[in-house]
Amino acid sequence: MKFCRSEQEQYEKIPVEIFADSSGATRQLAAEIAALIKERNGAGRPAVLGLATGSTPVPLYRELIRLHREEGLSFQQVVTFNLDEYYPVGDDHRESYHRFMAEQLFNHVDIPASNIHIPDGNVPRDSVFETCRNYETAIEAAGGIDLQVLGIGMTGHIGFNEPGSGRDSRTRLITLDRITRRDAARDFLGLENVPRYAITMGVGTILQARRIVLMAWGQGKAAIVARAVEGPASDAVSASFLQHHARAAFYIDQPAAAALTRIKHPWLVGAETWEPPEIRNAVCWLAGRLEKPVLKLLDEEYNENGMASLLAEQGPAYTLNIRIFNELQHTITGWPGGKPGADDTHRPERALPFPKRVLVFSPEPSDDAAGLGGTLDRLVSQGHDVQVVYQTSGNLAVPDSQAATFARFLLESARARSTGWEEQVRYGESLLKDLEEKGPFGVDSRRLRDLKGLIRRGEARESARILGLDPERLIFLDLPFYEAGRYRRFSLTGADTAAIGMVLDRCQPHQIYATGKLADPSSVPAQCFNALAEALRQRENHSWRQTCTGWLYSAHDRQLEPHQIGMAVPLSPDQLSRKLQAIGKHPSQQTQFAQTGEPDQQTARRYDRLGLAEYEAIEAFERWF
Ligand code: F6R
């Protein structure tokens, strides 16, 4: 079915509501769910909800719990069907969706246990087919699903309907996609622990719900959201089949909307107001599309590609091209802290004061090296006073095998001493005992988390040395939200903001680097960013704040588009290889992230193709303030 509400949305085949942030979206959806429950209950019937797990619905469940506690919303007459469950996993597995739902919603509302349905990930293989069939029958017996809540995976899956899942597929056992397993690796504390299979409702099962709302947050989801909404409906992206549903909608935040045509290329859908960032965006897009450098774009090429109004307003092409070329050119600097003694009219960063006090905020140790290792190298060698602030300890991301290696080493060296090391021996033994007792999926003891944190501190120090940074200049905040939490279940408190605030007050920085602004709101970088943003907001009137500049980097997420770049710091082949060496000093993270220079090299290639100088690699920054 072709859906179109306005000229701007002409490419969108599913209604999309874009919200400033996830809380606006979840408030609206929670209100719709509350109204549905009341309406159905008023008619003497239960409301039947289809529920999802993962990071995306967490804020929705928090809001439903709030409605239950503060506004008396009752779940007594609510029946739920969850989309999926890993297979094989027991209900009490730390990462099972049974456990997730209990912790995130069911334990906090008055829903009777008998009303809850989640596929059983624990049945023997030869009963799976029957279990799936029974699940379908139970949905039918409940009268079908009134409202289905969905998230979307990086493969475009809804439920666990991975690419290849048919439009009419039903509840069944599926093999998880490689990308889906990689995305779950952190939760399962290592890829090797992620189950290979899952039981999921089929696309056909989902489409039978009377109303469907898919939510998505963060820039990581932008590309797949655009494919699902604007691309062809096909089994390559199972969410695209929602185009066939009369009452499906996407509720997404602004970062997740970034790749929709109306946001990314608004001039193609009738937007006629040309603001400076949009002009740069349009010119870079045209150059990319025609595979031409900016300075060679012609009048007729602007006209033929929906930019006649731009040309009329700001043309001819020759003038426009030069202007944009210069803007891009002026983003390039080998002096990220400003170049002393040089005219800084067209430089991204001011020359004075020199040297600058620079604070680099890194959500976990290793984000700094991956995101701005080359820039750090330059800042230090150019004489700035640089401190790196590791906001969290990153201890959740250390595999047990690494902790075991350290514990064994400690034990062995302590035992090698004849006397006086008994306490160390006991400590080593207790670490190994903790590891054994908790098993691969158990919760780490405080002792283990501390050890894992120390491992990451050690790695951060080695990495800093490679970049010329004195390890004494590293600040480890171990923010409490992280120490008290688990992936997808973090919540910030004033203590987090206060800890960051103290560092700001002590340093009074001239320049700040941060990341996480557009990340999935439940992720560690997003929480860290929010805590920093709040601490800065509280200091809006401090005198140092008036001249401080803020730059955003991307650590492991999507690279910036050329038109978003405010500062482009070129890396020589040597600097790139030092950066990779610095990243390589984080062995505990080796299975988590690709450790290549590819993202920075790609940015350099894009600049080159636009007709700018050809560099080995470029680290890109967006101006924050
Ligand atoms: C969860 C589910 C999945 C997730 C999707 C997004 O029950 O079926 O489709 O909705 O993988 O996961 P998050 O929200 O963690 O990004």
Side-chain angles (χ1 to χ4, degrees):
M1 177 183 308
K2 176 95 178 82
F3 168 83
C4 176
R5 279 192 295 197
S6 67
E7 189 182 4
Q8 268 79 46
E9 292 157 56
Q10 61 187 278
Y11 286 94
E12 297 170 21
K13 301 172 197 161
I14 306 175
V16 179
E17 291 217 27
I18 305 173
F19 295 81
D21 56 36
S22 60
S23 54
T26 51
R27 266 199 308 275
Q28 181 161 320
L29 181 54
E32 183 175 341
I33 292 175
L36 173 79
I37 296 175
K38 287 178 198 153
E39 188 242 313
R40 285 284 188 275
N41 291 176
R45 287 177 40 206
V48 184
L49 300 179
L51 298 180
T53 54
S55 313
T56 308
V58 170
L60 172 71
Y61 297 151
R62 285 193 185 144
E63 176 63 7
L64 288 175
I65 295 167
R66 192 194 67 75
L67 289 176
H68 170 67
R69 286 193 184 143
E70 293 174 17
E71 298 182 20
L73 178 67
S74 170
F75 289 75
Q76 284 284 344
Q77 293 296 321
V78 173
V79 173
T80 64
F81 288 91
N82 262 82
L83 283 165
D84 41 21
E85 178 58 282
Y86 289 109
Y87 183 87
V89 297
D91 299 358
D92 55 349
H93 185 298
R94 180 171 179 267
E95 289 304 325
S96 80
Y97 285 166
H98 280 75
R99 187 122 164 223
F100 177 95
M101 287 309 298
E103 287 174 4
Q104 295 298 314
L105 181 64
F106 298 146
N107 286 352
H108 312 283
V109 294
D110 58 346
I111 187 165
S114 54
N115 289 8
I116 296 170
H117 304 82
I118 305 177
D120 188 348
N122 209 17
V123 289
R125 184 66 186 81
D126 56 4
S127 312
V128 168
F129 180 72
E130 200 190 334
T131 305
C132 294
R133 215 179 34 200
N134 292 344
Y135 205 66
E136 294 272 337
T137 314
I139 295 175
E140 270 166 44
I145 291 172
D146 290 313
L147 189 150
Q148 175 69 55
V149 173
L150 295 175
I152 181 169
M154 299 307 274
T155 58
H157 68 215
I158 46 176
F160 274 138
N161 290 287
E162 299 290 22
S165 300
R167 152 88 180 68
D168 298 319
S169 51
R170 313 302 308 184
T171 303
R172 69 203 185 289
L173 184 74
I174 56 97
T175 305
L176 293 172
D177 191 276
R178 197 170 39 86
I179 297 173
T180 303
R181 291 189 68 240
R182 188 201 60 198
D183 289 343
R186 282 210 142 190
D187 303 335
F188 281 86
L189 308 171
L191 187 61
E192 64 283 10
N193 301 325
V194 183
R196 295 191 173 273
Y197 306 98
I199 294 178
T200 181
M201 279 188 200
V203 177
T205 325
I206 293 170
L207 289 177
Q208 271 176 349
R210 286 181 276 278
R211 162 93 167 129
I212 303 177
V213 179
L214 183 148
M215 299 176 290
W217 327 127
Q219 68 171 356
K221 296 280 171 78
I224 197 67
V225 163
R227 275 184 74 192
V229 172
E230 298 188 355
S234 95
D235 65 8
V237 175
S238 69
S240 67
F241 285 125
L242 298 173
Q243 294 171 15
H244 294 160
H245 194 283
R247 292 190 64 228
F250 276 38
Y251 285 9
I252 62 181
D253 66 1
Q254 270 165 359
L260 293 175
T261 305
R262 67 167 134 150
I263 308 292
K264 195 169 182 188
H265 307 131
W267 60 90
L268 294 178
V269 286
E272 299 279 316
T273 49
W274 291 99
E275 298 296 331
E278 202 163 279
I279 298 173
R280 213 206 287 183
N281 180 5
V283 175
C284 293
W285 172 82
L286 185 62
R289 184 184 171 108
L290 303 177
E291 297 183 21
K292 285 176 96 176
V294 169
L295 290 174
K296 287 193 181 174
L297 296 172
L298 304 172
D299 285 316
E300 54 270 33
E301 289 165 341
Y302 280 96
N303 282 334
E304 285 158 14
N305 286 281
M307 292 184 220
S309 65
L310 173 63
L311 208 57
E313 231 179 75
Q314 322 242 349
Y318 177 77
T319 322
L320 183 57
N321 294 349
I322 292 193
R323 206 182 86 211
I324 299 302
F325 177 84
N326 283 338
E327 277 184 26
L328 290 165
Q329 179 71 28
H330 293 152
T331 62
I332 303 174
T333 180
W335 297 80
K339 188 170 186 181
D343 174 8
D344 58 8
T345 325
H346 295 298
R347 291 179 176 277
E349 186 53 84
R350 65 204 191 284
L352 297 175
F354 180 85
K356 288 192 175 58
R357 286 191 299 275
V358 180
L359 280 185
V360 173
F361 285 88
S362 179
E364 289 184 28
S366 83
D367 291 334
D368 54 337
L372 75 171
T375 302
L376 262 173
D377 189 325
R378 281 191 186 257
L379 286 166
V380 174
S381 65
Q382 288 165 1
H384 296 285
D385 172 11
V386 183
Q387 285 183 287
V388 180
V389 185
Y390 296 109
Q391 291 167 279
T392 72
S393 68
N395 58 20
L396 290 169
V398 177
D400 285 352
S401 54
Q402 290 265 337
T405 307
F406 275 85
R408 280 194 216 102
F409 172 77
L410 193 102
L411 188 59
E412 213 171 306
S413 44
R415 277 187 183 144
R417 319 270 148 171
S418 43
T419 50
W421 283 62
E422 293 77 9
E423 202 173 315
Q424 283 81 347
V425 170
R426 274 198 300 281
Y427 175 58
E429 283 170 348
S430 58
L431 286 168
L432 289 171
K433 189 158 151 272
D434 285 358
L435 275 168
E436 200 186 311
E437 277 175 2
K438 84 177 183 73
F441 308 120
V443 178
D444 285 352
S445 62
R446 186 68 255 169
R447 223 175 354 224
L448 273 176
R449 281 189 78 163
D450 289 345
L451 174 72
K452 290 181 171 183
L454 286 177
I455 292 174
R456 295 207 71 180
R457 283 190 185 202
E459 292 175 347
R461 292 197 183 94
E462 291 309 311
S463 178
R465 280 195 184 96
I466 303 278
L467 301 175
L469 187 62
D470 179 355
E472 294 293 313
R473 309 295 293 152
L474 308 181
I475 300 172
F476 297 93
L477 283 186
D478 294 351
L479 287 182
F481 87 85
Y482 185 91
E483 295 308 304
R486 281 173 54 192
Y487 287 120
R488 304 173 197 261
R489 317 192 194 171
F490 298 118
S491 52
L492 283 179
T493 69
D496 302 299
T497 318
I500 293 175
M502 270 168 64
V503 176
L504 291 172
D505 291 341
R506 215 166 45 223
C507 169
Q508 308 199 350
H510 301 115
Q511 196 186 40
I512 285 177
Y513 291 87
T515 189
K517 182 162 187 254
L518 303 176
D520 172 348
S522 69
S523 66
V524 175
Q527 305 280 349
C528 288
F529 181 83
N530 290 342
L532 170 61
E534 176 56 20
L536 283 167
R537 198 196 53 74
Q538 292 169 357
R539 285 159 182 79
E540 241 157 35
N541 300 325
H542 290 205
S543 60
W544 61 266
R545 189 66 184 76
Q546 310 316 313
T547 52
C548 179
T549 50
W551 293 98
L552 299 170
Y553 65 95
S554 23
H556 304 286
D557 32 22
R558 195 165 295 281
Q559 296 304 299
L560 296 175
E561 300 285 333
H563 68 274
Q564 299 170 313
I565 297 176
M567 176 158 72
V569 180
L571 309 189
S572 68
D574 272 355
Q575 281 167 330
L576 180 63
S577 100
R578 258 201 312 281
K579 168 174 178 168
L580 293 179
Q581 251 180 293
I583 297 175
K585 291 290 175 191
H586 294 272
S588 73
Q589 301 306 295
Q590 241 147 30
T591 55
Q592 309 266 3
F593 301 111
Q595 308 195 337
T596 71
E598 187 46 33
D600 301 335
Q601 286 170 315
Q602 207 178 326
T603 307
R605 277 198 297 276
R606 295 178 89 171
Y607 261 46
D608 177 29
R609 279 196 226 110
L610 290 169
L612 297 148
E614 183 180 352
Y615 293 101
E616 172 69 17
I618 287 179
E619 282 176 351
F621 301 89
E622 191 177 356
R623 186 178 286 282
W624 182 15
F625 53 80

